[in-house]
Amino acid sequence: MKRSRGFTLIEIAIVLGIVLALLSLGLATIKSQLSSASYSITKKRQDAIKDALIAYLGANKRLPCPYVPTAGSPVTGIAPGVPPACPQLFGTVPFATLGLAREIGTDGWGNLFSYQLYADTPPPIICPGTGRDWGNSACFGAGKSGGVTINDGTIAAPIPLTVNVVAVVVSH
């Protein structure tokens, strides 16, 4: 009687287990590399937005109003015109107003950057004296600071990371 040669079920199960373990390690490595690349892209785009905001502030003596997308409309990235004050102080980065491509207005995961602008009171605000509204050129001047505080994210007892910020750009 000839005995057939082949693999037993136990040998096949062991090989499959090893292959699955190697695949899961490989997928975890790929996932971490993709996450790292997305973070790097986000950081570069935030730097480009910061530079564009500084250039806009220097040229216009004000910061652009946030762009607020409306449901069902295409995303244009164009901030509202130059009102005495911004109609809303929170929205997304007005990438087209800043002269940036839409790609720069999104983070590494494809989400639009959120953007908040500081003003002392809700619009409309009439400045010149002591008022501060970084979206109104009449309110821009020496000695005026922002008023946004950025915390570390803890809820119970948040630790302020910085205070008197004039604008915030956030990636989600």
Side-chain angles (χ1 to χ4, degrees), residues 41-117:
I41 288 168
T42 299
K43 180 70 177 135
K44 287 178 184 174
R45 290 179 181 173
Q46 281 180 323
D47 288 341
I49 291 169
K50 178 184 77 169
D51 293 341
L53 285 170
I54 291 169
Y56 189 94
L57 178 63
N60 299 291
K61 303 296 183 230
R62 64 185 285 281
L63 287 170
C65 295
Y67 166 67
V68 181
T70 54
S73 298
V75 176
T76 63
I78 300 172
V82 183
C86 293
Q88 291 187 356
L89 298 173
F90 182 80
T92 62
V93 171
F95 54 87
T97 302
L98 294 171
L100 300 172
R102 178 180 176 165
E103 177 181 272
I104 302 297
T106 59
D107 62 14
W109 294 270
N111 302 313
L112 290 170
F113 283 104
S114 291
Y115 169 63
Q116 181 176 349
L117 191 59

